[in-house]
Every structure is written in structure tokens, then in C-alpha cells.
Amino acid sequence: MATVTTAARLHFGFQNLALAHDRLYGGVGLALDEPRLVVSADPADAVECPDPAAEPYVRRAVDALDVPGARVEIRERFPRHVGLGSGTQLALASLVAVARAHDTTADARTFAPRLGRGGRSGVGVATFEHGGFVVDGGHPTERFTAKPPAEGDWEVPPVIAHHDVPAHWRFLLVVPDTDPGQSGRAEDQSMRQAVERADPGIGDEISTLLTRRLLPAVANRDRRAFGAAAARLGRLNGAWYADEQGGVYRPPAGALVERLTDAPAVTGAGQSSWGPTVWGLTDTDGMDAAREAGEAVLEAAGVDGEVSVVAPRNVGASLDE
């Protein structure tokens, strides 16, 4: 039996959505140590996966690897479509586990397009590979216009910056009990509309923010500067998506972010991907206070949800046999 363990990621946003610039997208995010995904696989003559959400990913992995089948069990998982990157992690973990069950290997980056992953952001693939804080280089705009190329007809964008995240940093996760974030065709449609309308000036501001504030902050292990810069990056991205998600943040994320921003234990807050997950940055000394702040903002907003405080992950997925 081959077992792959990986975990969630935060997606702070993109560097550019405007067709006026040479590169499109360019994801920015980092790996978390929790919540985790654990996938085990044994060789089989057909696809056997009792988990209906995972079965399509397993089937695609079997097809991509050209093997007869696999018996796959999802031993641990985290919620889908809440902004934590479950789809990419599940697709890649299934691929690697099935490959190893058949005594072969599969490079996640090479196979990702055939699994329908890495078409816009490369953050999920990169964190699966190596963990840490990641910036990817995006795609040439002439190929990824408002209408993207056919599925699989791309390469995962290259990693242009990678840093370990300080081990004492902690990330507050507030997941309100609300409708899941966008995915699939709905997400594709929203992205196309956002790209068609995107203000190139926002991309220019993000470029400056990334090089002068965010990257120096993670390199210098400056938590407060990093939190503020990541929060600003998310807010700028929200300006691109405002028409698609009902505001700079998708409700009720906006109310949660604004209240977390005022919490003394939290330095920087924002929405991960399409949400509804909201993140805040703290450290080991501020974990309890940050958790209390997360519970308080849910209560103030009149929304149920889950609150956790998790460590960063500076390693990629693990494989055990």
C-alpha cells in the first residue's frame, strides 16, 4: 500500500488579471501543515474508491498513468471548495499514490495538466512539491486570454520565488458555515469575466507590492510586514473580483476580515482564493488570543463556523509504503 500525505494551502491572490500585460495570473500563496489529506492506494484491476468526491480524481489518475486500476481510500481529508485548495491536493495525491502502488513514479508537475490542475495558479502544485511560500510566474497572456486553451494544453507555471515560512508563525483559519466557494465551470466563467474587465493599474500596484514589501518581508521573517502586505494583495485582488463575488470579499468574509484586522493578536487578514475561508497571521505566543478573536468575529457576524490555528508547512507531500 502506498500512502500520500499532503495538506491545505492559502491563496492570497494573483499578480495580474489584465490582458494589457505580458503575463497573466501568477499565483501567490503558501502551504499549511493542517488540515491534512491522506490518500492510500493498492493496485487493482479497476477503479475502486467508495468516496464519491474522490473517485473522479482517482479515475483520471488511472487514465493518465495508463494502469489497470487502483483501490483507493481517503483516510483524512479537508473540506472542498472553501478556499484551501482541496482539489489540486486530492488530484496530485491520488496520482502519486496510484503510481507508487503500481511500482512506478509520477512527477506531479508533469502530470498536473492532464489532471486539469495548474491551469491558472501554480501555487497548489508547487506547495504539493515543496511546501513553503510560493510565487509563480503565470502564463503568457497571448496563450491565456479571456478564453483559456483546451484542458491539458498548458504547462504548470514556473516557480519564480520560494521561501520557507518561519516555523513560529501561525495562521488563524476561520471557515464560516456558508455556501462553498466557486469551482468548475462557474469559476471559469467568473474568471473570464474578471479578466475581460481587469484594470491593468491594479497589476502594476501588485508588482510593486510584491517586490518591495511582500518578498522582503518573508525573506526577513518580518511577520507584521508580511501580514500587512498579504492583506493588501488580497484586497487589490478583490477589486478585480468585486462584480463576481459581491464585493471586495465574498460575504460574509468582508465582515470577518474587517473585524480580524482590529484584533491585537492578528497581523493581517484576508480571504483565501474564492473563500469562504478567512485567514489571519499570528505566532506561537498569540495562538490562543487569535483563536478567541476568530470565534468572536463569527459570533459578531451571526455566523456559525470552524476556527483553527495552524502552522506553516515547509516540506512537500510525503510518500509512505
Side-chain angles (χ1 to χ4, degrees):
M1 176 179 288
T3 299
V4 175
T5 300
T6 184
R9 61 95 180 102
L10 290 178
H11 200 284
F12 298 125
F14 289 110
Q15 298 169 60
N16 174 57
L17 294 188
L19 297 173
H21 292 314
D22 292 339
R23 306 288 295 189
L24 197 63
Y25 306 125
V28 182
L30 57 78
L32 302 173
D33 198 44
E34 296 177 81
R36 294 190 177 187
L37 171 72
V38 181
V39 178
S40 293
D42 283 312
D45 294 329
V47 172
E48 301 176 27
C49 180
D51 188 318
E55 193 268 348
Y57 294 102
V58 175
R59 192 167 296 280
R60 293 189 74 160
V62 165
D63 290 343
L65 292 165
D66 194 23
V67 296
R71 185 179 305 107
V72 174
E73 178 185 358
I74 311 302
R75 296 187 168 187
E76 191 173 340
R77 68 183 313 149
F78 52 93
R80 304 174 67 208
H81 309 317
V82 298
L84 295 175
S86 64
T88 295
Q89 300 308 307
L90 184 53
L92 299 181
S94 298
L95 172 82
V96 173
V98 170
R100 195 64 195 133
H102 285 276
D103 294 321
T104 187
T105 60
D107 178 69
R109 180 168 292 269
T110 300
F111 276 88
R114 297 177 62 182
L115 303 177
R117 317 312 298 185
R120 280 186 290 269
S121 173
V123 170
V125 176
T127 54
F128 183 88
E129 292 176 310
H130 303 296
F133 170 78
V134 174
V135 179
D136 78 59
H139 298 275
T141 301
E142 64 268 19
R143 293 209 64 239
F144 267 69
T145 58
K147 183 177 181 180
E151 185 170 296
D153 187 23
W154 66 76
E155 294 181 355
V156 178
V159 174
I160 60 173
H162 176 267
H163 291 274
D164 281 354
V165 181
H168 68 284
W169 288 8
R170 292 293 182 270
F171 291 88
L172 169 69
L173 303 181
V174 181
V175 187
D177 186 8
T178 185
D179 292 338
Q182 295 195 42
S183 62
R185 292 183 179 179
E187 180 183 11
D188 290 341
Q189 179 65 21
S190 291
M191 287 299 300
R192 282 196 295 271
Q193 292 175 352
V195 166
E196 289 169 358
R197 294 191 298 263
D199 177 1
I202 294 176
D204 292 333
E205 184 173 347
I206 290 174
S207 178
T208 300
L209 174 71
L210 182 68
T211 56
R212 295 184 183 178
R213 293 179 58 190
L214 192 60
L215 284 171
V218 70
N220 290 324
R221 306 168 66 85
D222 186 333
R223 177 173 58 89
R224 295 188 178 278
F226 181 89
R232 179 62 180 163
L233 176 64
R235 184 175 288 276
L236 289 169
N237 268 256
W240 277 324
Y241 300 129
D243 291 340
E244 307 306 322
Q245 62 180 8
V248 172
Y249 306 105
R250 187 169 74 87
L256 305 180
V257 170
E258 294 307 315
R259 289 187 173 96
L260 278 181
T261 300
D262 295 332
V266 175
T267 57
Q271 174 180 295
S272 181
S273 188
W274 289 106
T277 295
V278 167
W279 62 269
L281 180 56
T282 187
D283 60 12
T284 50
D285 291 335
M287 290 174 59
D288 291 342
R291 183 180 289 106
E292 290 174 2
E295 293 168 350
V297 299
L298 283 174
E299 183 177 359
V303 180
D304 292 331
E306 298 292 330
V307 176
S308 59
V309 181
V310 304
R313 183 180 177 93
N314 288 317
V315 296
S318 64
L319 173 63
D320 299 309
E321 297 179 81

